[in-house]
């Protein structure tokens, strides 16, 4: 068969012939570039802080950081201990909960512990289950922040303690949760998933490529592009000192998937040329000539789509977009260089194509669509409209502990705590007294106590940690534990004396700065909610803020509720709003590129339909089946 009339015409044909002549050099340079970049993978890090989901200028993060700067950072590990008997007030359980103890656990001591633990407001619903069936040990963690090994070492020690006491007390069930365990889970999730997901994904792609191409040389060429693209993108990310998290860690899988598309476009045309009888090099030249523009357009528009993630308010999504966009363009470069070089090096033979069942089926389907295009268009259009209309049913519920599968330790511990002990979603209010030493002002304390009682009456509130409880208990203690004196001190001087007495009574290394600021002009109130979704958490926080504006002292009225729950709820809304802008601009830019490439406004607009419609239908189906984002 004579060569293609296009084989010597155009830049693409001349370029491909140059690649064929220098194929070994092109392959060597491609591999060298990938290896040089891939060295950087050793510098890749894993984020070990949930705060990585928030940019430094995020107003909710800044508000929460201000609270932690005033008081103390709220990183913690919560040990949840539940005996088989459902009663924590036994010698064995109390010994395990206390760890090492110098005092003998006698029946009288157990009764005293039971009496205090089941009535003390600072414990019940927080470190003691209301039914006495489980207890908790809360450990506040303060890491120096000088080494990346601090958190892993801390969590490793926590786990060794759990293993030790679980072995000593097999009748107890011990689980852990808390901010420090959550931070470690963010690092461990990619470490657990990537070594499993990547090989499975790669194996599935290899299986599909072999079944689809069935020609040795093109198969090797495709796998080369996939491997080199992923290695280069991740290596460059490592050279830049990138820290991945569960979101951005999916970039390699996405790059691996997208890298296949470029190769398949070219190689299918190449194999078709072989089946028409073209010599290998002429078939390769024709395949490159036909596909150079479509492959470039596919790559650049895909990259633009991922770059639109830079409008996200969450750094992990921006990182995912940038790394993936870079990987897509790297895959395009290797598809234009290494792919034709490998195809030119390796032998490739394609048997004459016979009509297979799938070919006949797709041909019949195409004929049906062409013949009945009006009913097909009307029916599919109606389906798209119906599904798109369902998107409005979606609700936002960004419960960050549910980022993790039930098989992970953090999820098991959190679910266990929710079921048997306490909630894990909180709101913190920093209430200002308006003057130094003002936390001893009876009027201020009375307002704090009224706010505390209002919160405790809310049906979705599990526990309120308020210094007003401490003041009332001290007043009671100073009056021979007379229950009638479980009330706030009546004078400022007496309240100040109680506060000083409380500070002096604390063990070495502890102070009141976790609850009261340094000049005693403000204190914090921490609210723990029951198992609550993020929308309810927002409503409860807004209601508390409204109460403070209406009933609080003037200095308290500007207080807002902060915490990880509020941060994640608002970051989701911010991401949706910002991504609507980013996606709109991305589609606009893509449409301009397609119109210019196709030299037709009409065809450019039509080409956007297959980009927009699947997303609308997917979200519609998600709304009907799941209902939450």
């Amino acid at each position: 068969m004579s060569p293609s009339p296009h084989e010597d015409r155009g830049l693409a044909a001349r370029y491909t012939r140059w690649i064929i002549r220098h194929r070994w050099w092109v392959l060597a340079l491609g591999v060298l570039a990938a290896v040089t970049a891939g060295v950087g993978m050793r510098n890749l890090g894993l984020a070990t802080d949930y705060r990585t989901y928030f940019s430094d200028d995020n107003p909710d993060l800044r508000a929460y950081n201000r609270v932690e700067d005033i008081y103390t950072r709220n990183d913690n590990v919560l040990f949840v201990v539940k005996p088989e008997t459902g009663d924590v007030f036994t010698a064995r359980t109390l010994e395990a909960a206390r760890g090492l103890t110098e005092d003998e656990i006698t029946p009288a001591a157990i009764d005293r512990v039971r009496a205090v633990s089941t009535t003390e407001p600072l414990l019940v619903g927080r470190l003691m289950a209301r039914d006495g069936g489980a207890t908790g040990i809360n450990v506040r963690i303060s890491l120096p922040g000088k080494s990346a090994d601090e958190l892993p070492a801390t969590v490793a020690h926590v786990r060794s303690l759990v293993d030790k006491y679980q072995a000593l007390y097999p009748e107890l069930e011990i689980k852990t949760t808390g901010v420090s365990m959550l931070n470690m889970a963010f690092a461990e999730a990619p470490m657990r998933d990537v070594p499993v997901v990547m090989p499975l994904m790669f194996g599935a792609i290899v299986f599909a490529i072999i079944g689809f191409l069935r020609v040795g040389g093109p198969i090797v060429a495709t796998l080369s592009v996939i491997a080199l693209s992923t290695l280069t993108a991740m290596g460059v990310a490592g050279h830049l000192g990138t820290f991945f998290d569960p979101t951005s860690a999916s970039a390699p899988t996405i790059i691996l998937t997208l890298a296949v598309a470029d190769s398949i476009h070219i190689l299918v045309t190449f194999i078709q040329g072989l089946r028409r009888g073209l010599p290998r090099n002429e078939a390769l030249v024709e395949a490159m000539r036909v596909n150079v523009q479509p492959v470039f357009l596919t790559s650049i528009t895909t990259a633009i789509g991922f770059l639109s993630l830079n409008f996200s308010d969450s750094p992990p999504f921006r990182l995912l977009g940038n790394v993936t966009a870079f990987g897509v363009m790297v895959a395009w470069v290797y598809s234009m260089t290494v792919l034709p070089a490998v195809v030119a090096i390796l032998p490739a033979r394609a048997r004459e194509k016979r009509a297979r069942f799938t070919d006949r089926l797709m041909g019949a389907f195409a004929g049906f669509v062409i013949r009945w295009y009006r009913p097909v268009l009307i029916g599919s259009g109606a389906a798209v409209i119906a599904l798109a209309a369902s998107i409005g049913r979606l609700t936002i519920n960004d419960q960050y502990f549910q980022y993790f599968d039930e098989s992970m330790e953090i999820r098991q511990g959190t679910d266990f705590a929710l079921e048997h002990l306490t909630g894990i979603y909180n709101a913190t209010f920093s209430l200002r007294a308006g003057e130094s030493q003002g936390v001893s002002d009876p009027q201020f304390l009375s307002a704090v106590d009224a706010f505390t009682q209002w919160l405790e009456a809310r049906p979705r509130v599990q526990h309120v940690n308020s210094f007003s409880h401490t003041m009332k208990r001290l007043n009671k203690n100073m009056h021979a534990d007379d229950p009638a004196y479980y009330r706030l001190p009546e004078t400022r001087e007496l309240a100040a004396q109680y506060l000083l007495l409380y500070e002096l009574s604390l063990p070495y290394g502890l102070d009141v700065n976790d609850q009261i600021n340094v000049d005693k002009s403000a204190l914090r109130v921490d609210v723990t909610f029951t198992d609550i979704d993020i929308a309810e958490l927002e409503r409860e926080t807004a209601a508390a803020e409204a109460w403070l504006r209406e009933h609080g002292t003037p200095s308290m009225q500007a207080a807002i509720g902060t915490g990880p729950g509020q941060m994640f709820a608002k970051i989701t809304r911010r991401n949706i709003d910002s991504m609507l802008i980013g996606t709109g601009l991305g589609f606009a830019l893509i449409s301009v590129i397609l119109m210019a490439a196709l030299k037709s406004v009409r065809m450019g607009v039509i080409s956007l339909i297959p980009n927009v419609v699947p997303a609308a239908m997917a979200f519609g189906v998600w709304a009907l089946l799941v209902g939450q984002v």
Side-chain angles (χ1 to χ4, degrees):
M1 181 177 289
S2 60
S4 168
H6 302 287
E7 65 179 11
D8 292 313
R9 292 193 328 205
L11 180 61
R14 293 194 297 271
Y15 167 78
T16 306
R17 290 193 174 281
W18 182 89
I19 291 286
I20 293 172
R21 287 196 301 273
H22 302 90
R23 53 191 177 275
W24 286 106
W25 282 106
V26 171
L27 176 59
L29 289 174
V31 173
L32 178 62
V35 171
T36 302
V39 172
M41 290 183 65
R42 62 185 179 184
N43 300 323
L44 289 173
L46 291 170
T48 57
D49 194 334
Y50 70 87
R51 290 170 175 83
T52 191
Y53 275 85
F54 307 91
S55 58
D56 292 337
D57 58 354
N58 181 281
D60 304 306
L61 176 62
R62 294 174 69 177
Y64 188 57
N65 285 341
R66 283 195 296 269
V67 170
E68 292 198 327
D69 290 340
I70 293 173
Y71 305 99
T72 56
R73 185 156 175 165
N74 207 30
D75 290 1
N76 72 307
V77 174
L78 176 64
F79 295 83
V80 183
V81 181
K82 183 181 183 300
E84 292 178 351
T85 61
D87 181 12
V88 301
F89 300 106
T90 64
R92 290 274 297 172
T93 304
L94 293 179
E95 285 174 0
R98 294 182 62 177
L100 297 175
T101 178
E102 297 177 358
D103 299 323
E104 183 182 1
I105 303 295
T106 64
I110 293 175
D111 291 339
R112 179 172 57 85
V113 169
R114 183 193 301 270
V116 172
S117 300
T118 55
T119 58
E120 174 54 53
L122 292 175
L123 296 178
V124 177
R126 184 188 183 201
L127 296 179
M128 177 60 62
R130 297 188 184 279
D131 63 356
T135 188
I137 304 168
N138 188 57
V139 181
R140 181 163 288 153
I141 305 295
S142 180
L143 301 177
K146 296 180 180 180
S147 169
D149 296 329
E150 293 170 358
L151 181 62
T154 300
V155 172
H157 180 65
V158 168
R159 288 168 176 164
S160 68
L161 285 176
V162 171
D163 292 340
K164 173 184 175 181
Y165 283 95
Q166 194 73 78
L168 290 173
Y169 303 92
E171 73 274 17
L172 303 181
E173 190 169 2
I174 306 174
K175 300 289 185 181
T176 56
T177 184
V179 173
S180 295
M181 304 304 291
L182 172 68
N183 287 335
M184 194 65 208
F186 274 110
E188 291 178 333
M191 295 172 60
R192 189 190 75 159
D193 292 345
V194 171
V196 176
V197 174
M198 284 290 288
L200 287 176
M201 189 68 183
F202 192 78
I205 288 176
V206 169
F207 180 79
I209 290 173
I210 292 174
F212 189 72
L213 296 179
R214 299 189 179 186
V215 181
I219 292 172
V220 174
T222 304
L223 298 180
S224 300
V225 170
I226 294 172
L228 296 180
S229 301
T230 306
L231 180 64
T232 301
M234 301 308 294
V236 170
H239 283 300
L240 296 175
T242 302
F243 280 79
F244 282 99
D245 52 82
T247 297
S248 55
S250 59
T253 305
I254 299 175
I255 294 170
L256 184 150
T257 305
L258 295 173
V260 177
D262 294 347
S263 303
I264 293 298
H265 281 297
I266 296 170
L267 294 174
V268 167
T269 307
F270 169 71
I271 293 173
Q272 289 174 346
L274 293 179
R275 286 172 175 159
R276 295 201 312 268
L278 290 176
R280 180 180 61 182
N281 288 351
E282 279 69 18
L284 181 58
V285 169
E286 178 67 4
M288 291 289 287
R289 184 194 68 79
V290 169
N291 288 286
V292 65
Q293 184 185 40
V295 168
F296 174 75
L297 289 175
T298 299
S299 299
I300 193 65
T301 53
T302 302
I304 290 172
F306 278 101
L307 288 173
S308 68
L309 287 174
N310 279 283
F311 284 85
S312 171
D313 199 48
S314 187
F317 290 99
R318 299 201 294 262
L319 177 60
L320 172 65
N322 291 331
V323 173
T324 305
F326 177 73
V328 168
M329 295 314 298
V330 166
W332 172 76
V333 171
Y334 284 130
S335 296
M336 295 293 105
T337 54
V338 172
L339 179 75
V342 172
V343 171
I345 291 171
L346 297 177
R349 293 183 180 180
R351 297 177 180 178
E352 183 178 350
K353 185 177 180 182
R354 296 181 179 179
R356 294 179 294 179
F357 172 75
T358 54
D359 299 322
R360 295 194 300 270
L361 179 63
M362 293 308 298
F365 179 73
F368 171 81
V369 171
I370 293 171
R371 182 177 179 183
W372 302 98
Y373 69 92
R374 284 193 178 90
V376 169
L377 182 60
I378 294 172
S380 58
V384 171
I385 293 173
L387 289 174
S390 302
I391 295 177
R393 301 175 57 178
L394 286 171
T395 59
I396 296 173
N397 187 23
D398 203 350
Q399 294 178 293
Y400 48 94
F401 278 100
Q402 293 185 8
Y403 287 1
F404 305 100
D405 184 75
E406 288 85 352
S407 63
M408 291 198 66
E409 176 188 21
I410 183 64
R411 181 66 183 276
Q412 294 175 0
T414 301
D415 290 345
F416 190 79
L418 282 170
E419 182 180 359
H420 300 291
L421 183 61
T422 187
I424 44 85
Y425 292 109
N426 306 286
T428 297
F429 296 86
S430 179
L431 305 180
R432 297 187 177 276
E435 60 176 326
S436 179
Q437 307 299 320
V439 297
S440 300
D441 180 9
Q443 182 182 1
F444 173 75
L445 284 174
S446 179
V448 171
D449 190 49
F451 180 52
T452 301
Q453 293 183 41
W454 178 84
L455 288 169
E456 290 175 332
R458 304 286 291 180
R460 303 297 282 166
V461 170
Q462 176 85 16
H463 181 267
V464 181
N465 187 39
S466 172
F467 196 72
S468 64
H469 287 314
T470 303
M471 276 294 189
K472 290 192 286 188
R473 189 186 70 220
L474 286 170
N475 195 36
K476 172 186 171 183
N477 296 152
M478 297 303 292
H479 290 84
D481 287 340
D482 184 351
Y485 283 90
Y486 188 76
R487 60 177 185 259
L488 293 172
E490 297 177 353
T491 67
R492 182 168 185 154
E493 292 74 17
L494 186 58
Q497 291 177 21
Y498 285 168
L499 177 55
L500 177 60
L501 177 65
Y502 179 70
E503 286 186 274
L504 294 176
S505 69
L506 291 173
Y508 176 77
L510 297 180
D511 55 36
V512 297
N513 286 347
D514 64 325
Q515 302 176 69
I516 300 174
N517 66 347
V518 175
D519 70 347
K520 298 178 176 58
S521 64
L523 57 77
R524 68 187 288 171
V525 173
D526 293 299
V527 187
T528 302
F529 296 92
T530 57
D531 191 7
I532 191 173
D533 64 43
I534 294 299
E536 290 180 290
L537 178 60
E538 283 192 288
R539 289 193 292 270
E540 289 291 327
T541 304
E545 293 169 352
W547 189 96
L548 288 171
R549 288 193 296 271
E550 182 176 354
H551 303 286
T553 63
S555 59
M556 295 167 56
Q557 292 175 2
I560 61 172
T562 66
Q566 289 78 9
M567 291 158 56
F568 275 97
K570 294 177 181 178
I571 195 68
T572 302
R573 298 186 188 280
R574 285 196 174 92
N575 277 334
I576 291 175
D577 294 339
S578 61
M579 286 312 303
L580 287 174
I581 299 173
T583 303
L585 291 176
F587 273 124
L589 184 55
I590 290 171
S591 64
V592 170
I593 292 175
L594 292 176
M595 289 174 189
L598 300 174
K599 298 179 181 179
S600 169
V601 174
R602 177 174 175 269
M603 294 304 297
V605 172
I606 292 175
S607 66
L608 287 176
I609 294 176
N611 290 314
V612 177
V613 167
M617 296 180 71
F619 275 106
V621 171
W622 189 265
L624 294 174
L625 297 181
V626 180
Q628 292 183 341
V629 175

